[in-house]
Amino acid sequence: MTPPLAHVGHWAINLLYVAPLFIAVAVLGYQAMKDRRRLKREGDDVRSPPPPPAAS
Amino acid sequence: MHRRRLLALLIVAAGLLAVVAPEAALAHGFGGRQTLPIPKWLFGWAAAVVLVASFVGLAVLWPKPRLERPAERRVAGIPQILDPLAGLIGVAIFVLVVYAGFAGNQTTTNNLVPTVVFYLFWVGLAIASPIFGDLFKALNPWRATARAVGWIGGRVSRGGLPTPMAYPTKLGRWPAAIGILAFAWVELVYPDRGDPSNLAVLALAYAAVQFVGMSLYGSETWNRYGDGFGVFYGMLARISPLRWAREGLFVRRPLSGLTTLDIVPGTVALLCVIIGTTSFDGFSAGPAWSTIVDGLIDFWRSVGFPQGTALELSMTVGLVVSVLIVAGLYRLGVLGMQSIDPRDTTPTNEVAGRFVHSLVPIGLAYVIAHYFSALGDEGQRIFYLISDPLGTGANIFGTSTATVDYTWIGANAIWYVQVAALVIGHVAGLVLAHDRALVSFRDGRTATRSQYWMLAVMIAFTSLGLWLLSAANS
């Protein structure tokens, strides 16, 4: 039986073609998560405005 | 500091892989005739960088839709005789092809039919349409015949011809998608695809289906939705800056014609069929497929099919699965887009249709990348076949001794054209999707965020395309 490691070069090369996609998805996913958090924060800010300063 | 270190590590890792990768390939006899300065996978990385840069450029420099309301300008009139004349030429070519198929030499390379059908018609027209506009509509032999019959029938019959039936909305472009899938099956799976008489029979069968469709729903409606070739070349022609109409020749921005593509069922399916079947053509030439196909053939043989049928069934499965994978990738991109705005309750199919025009330049890119060198090589046969279309030894124009020059383009140049076609096609797809997002989402920021997913889809298609091409060339 051929040891699977003998073909590791081919698999590594195949993976290299997919690598940009993995990197892009990871970066875009992170960015999308950040955007969602920011929007949620902004939404919370709009829904619950800070209480007016207490009259002194 | 931490990021810099990470970046440096990545660069060093990429450099090491660049050094190691060609060694691994050479150890197994790969390398071919290409002598590229960098490993092929690095082209994939470069293409991804170009796409990301284009995405950022669009987000910053393209804040308002520019293609959605296409303005066009009439530049010339068209003589009324041109349309029937072009139709007559189309009918003459069709008749010659069918006649050559039945009456000519039955060797693939000595008969006009395989070269005309698979190279000049399928690939040649696909490349010519985005440049010169919808040439096929004018040359379409089935449409020209139907129009001629309609014209004569209208004059001969007393009460005029009956009005065509209303085209079912649900049918959309599904007949076209099925027609192109059937053509791809013949091209990639059918074992007798090189047999001229079989091709002539199939051409007549396709024509018969077109005549039935046109007689039921009218020639223009069927040409727009039902005729696979009419629909596909018509879509590609929308990329062109030229639009031919009865009123004259119009000039418009390239790509802008795609924004007026009507969204009907089957449009996404048709484009996934184009991209998926072309992908399968590349994949089936690579080493990964040879491993899979052996297992599939064993399975079909174990249930009682002979070797030949088992191979056909396996190829058919591969063809259909390739289309489904492409459709799945696009669907993922659309679902991702929808997740950006939870308040948007538009059905997924509608969003998929809204952005489907961005797949048209990708379909073209795949066709060019996979077939342009074949068109350049095998298409040269037309020089001797035009003098001897039946392969009987005739020499009508004195070119019957012409030969095919396979050295007209180098292996490196082919690779560069393939990479350029894929990158330009996907950037064009990004431009169209971004422009549509600007009118589909409530503000520019949401539009840009929605396109994160389209960017990922474009990078996926580019990586897939380059991987398939590199596998096919290895």
Side-chain angles (χ1 to χ4, degrees), chain B residues 144-176:
Chain B
T145 309
R147 279 159 62 101
V149 169
W151 186 80
I152 294 165
R155 269 151 190 78
V156 172
S157 64
R158 285 185 185 167
L161 291 173
T163 316
M165 289 160 62
Y167 190 77
T169 317
K170 282 185 179 172
L171 208 55
R173 292 192 174 94
W174 278 107

Side-chain angles (χ1 to χ4, degrees), chain B residues 157 159-167 213-219 221:
Chain B
S157 64
L161 291 173
T163 316
M165 289 160 62
Y167 190 77
M214 285 187 289
S215 61
L216 288 175
Y217 303 114
S219 61
T221 306

Side-chain angles (χ1 to χ4, degrees), chain B residues 37 70 137 312 328 351 378:
Chain B
K137 190 178 178 184
E312 280 174 54
V351 180
E378 310 302 331

Side-chain angles (χ1 to χ4, degrees), chain B residues 35-108:
Chain B
T35 49
L36 299 167
I38 54 171
K40 281 184 182 172
W41 59 265
L42 259 183
F43 285 91
W45 286 54
V49 170
V50 171
L51 286 174
V52 172
S54 307
F55 176 81
V56 174
L58 285 168
V60 177
L61 305 170
W62 196 301
K64 284 180 182 170
R66 295 181 191 186
L67 301 170
E68 287 293 328
R69 285 169 208 86
E72 54 181 24
R73 177 167 61 87
R74 186 176 179 274
V75 288
I78 297 174
Q80 292 300 309
I81 189 73
L82 204 62
D83 193 26
L85 194 67
L88 198 64
I89 293 169
V91 172
I93 294 172
F94 182 71
V95 170
L96 174 66
V97 164
V98 171
Y99 178 71
F102 288 123
N105 187 314
Q106 293 300 302
T107 315
T108 305

Side-chain angles (χ1 to χ4, degrees), chain B residues 202-216:
Chain B
L202 290 170
L204 284 176
Y206 188 82
V209 173
Q210 303 318 301
F211 289 137
V212 171
M214 285 187 289
S215 61
L216 288 175

Side-chain angles (χ1 to χ4, degrees), chain A residues 6-7 9-10 13-14 16-17 19-21 24 28 31-32 35 38-39, chain B residues 17 21 24 28 30 40-41 45 48 445 449 452 456 459-460 463 467 470:
Chain A
H7 295 279
H10 297 306
I13 289 174
N14 288 342
L16 285 172
Y17 283 96
L21 177 65
L28 292 172
Q31 185 60 38
D35 286 349
R38 184 177 47 76
L39 283 172
Chain B
L17 280 166
H28 287 262
F30 288 106
K40 281 184 182 172
W41 59 265
W45 286 54
R445 191 195 274 180
R449 285 175 55 228
Y452 289 167
I459 291 176
S463 305
W467 176 68
S470 72

Side-chain angles (χ1 to χ4, degrees), chain B residues 108-434:
Chain B
T108 305
T109 51
N110 288 333
N111 192 300
L112 185 76
V113 185
T115 301
V116 168
V117 171
F118 291 127
Y119 300 107
L120 302 185
F121 175 65
W122 177 233
V123 188
L125 266 179
I127 294 175
S129 301
I131 303 167
F132 302 110
D134 201 351
L135 300 178
F136 181 68
K137 190 178 178 184
L139 292 168
N140 186 335
W142 314 301
R143 174 177 170 263
T145 309
R147 279 159 62 101
V149 169
W151 186 80
I152 294 165
R155 269 151 190 78
V156 172
S157 64
R158 285 185 185 167
L161 291 173
T163 316
M165 289 160 62
Y167 190 77
T169 317
K170 282 185 179 172
L171 208 55
R173 292 192 174 94
W174 278 107
I178 293 164
I180 293 292
L181 185 63
F183 178 80
W185 185 86
V186 170
E187 186 197 14
L188 305 174
V189 180
Y190 184 48
D192 293 330
R193 57 186 169 272
D195 185 315
S197 63
N198 277 346
L199 284 178
V201 169
L202 290 170
L204 284 176
Y206 188 82
V209 173
Q210 303 318 301
F211 289 137
V212 171
M214 285 187 289
S215 61
L216 288 175
Y217 303 114
S219 61
E220 296 308 310
T221 306
W222 186 256
N223 186 251
R224 188 180 296 167
Y225 299 113
D227 173 7
F229 299 110
V231 173
F232 178 50
Y233 298 132
M235 278 185 186
L236 293 179
R238 287 170 178 270
I239 295 174
S240 170
L242 303 176
R243 186 175 75 84
W244 302 83
R246 190 182 289 270
E247 301 79 33
L249 175 62
F250 294 84
V251 176
R252 62 191 173 193
R253 277 185 179 174
L255 297 175
S256 65
L258 283 170
T259 58
T260 55
L261 181 72
D262 50 346
I263 302 159
V264 295
T267 311
V268 176
L270 173 67
L271 285 157
C272 291
V273 163
I274 300 287
I275 300 171
T277 54
T278 316
S279 301
F280 178 68
D281 190 22
F283 182 65
S284 60
W289 172 247
S290 53
T291 331
I292 297 168
V293 79
D294 287 345
L296 281 171
I297 289 173
D298 287 346
F299 167 75
W300 292 118
R301 291 198 68 183
S302 71
V303 291
F305 288 102
Q307 176 75 17
T309 314
L311 177 62
E312 280 174 54
L313 285 169
S314 305
M315 295 285 279
T316 307
V317 168
L319 192 73
V320 173
V321 169
S322 299
V323 174
L324 293 177
I325 288 172
V326 169
L329 271 176
Y330 181 64
R331 190 80 176 181
L332 270 179
V334 171
L335 288 171
M337 249 193 278
Q338 279 190 300
S339 71
I340 293 298
D341 191 355
R343 284 169 290 182
D344 187 1
T345 53
T346 314
T348 308
N349 280 349
E350 202 179 313
V351 180
R354 212 181 272 166
F355 287 88
V356 71
H357 64 314
S358 65
L359 293 182
V360 177
I362 298 170
L364 173 67
Y366 266 62
V367 170
I368 292 176
H370 283 268
Y371 299 129
F372 95 95
S373 61
L375 173 68
D377 288 344
E378 310 302 331
Q380 290 178 51
R381 286 201 202 118
I382 196 64
F383 294 121
Y384 67 79
L385 289 170
I386 201 161
S387 278
D388 187 14
L390 305 184
T392 52
N395 193 4
I396 302 167
F397 300 108
T399 58
S400 69
T401 53
T403 52
V404 175
D405 175 15
Y406 289 103
T407 61
W408 69 281
I409 188 167
N412 282 0
I414 291 175
W415 175 252
Y416 290 133
V417 172
Q418 290 172 330
V419 174
L422 283 175
V423 172
I424 294 170
H426 287 85
V427 169
L430 268 183
V431 169
L432 285 164
H434 174 81

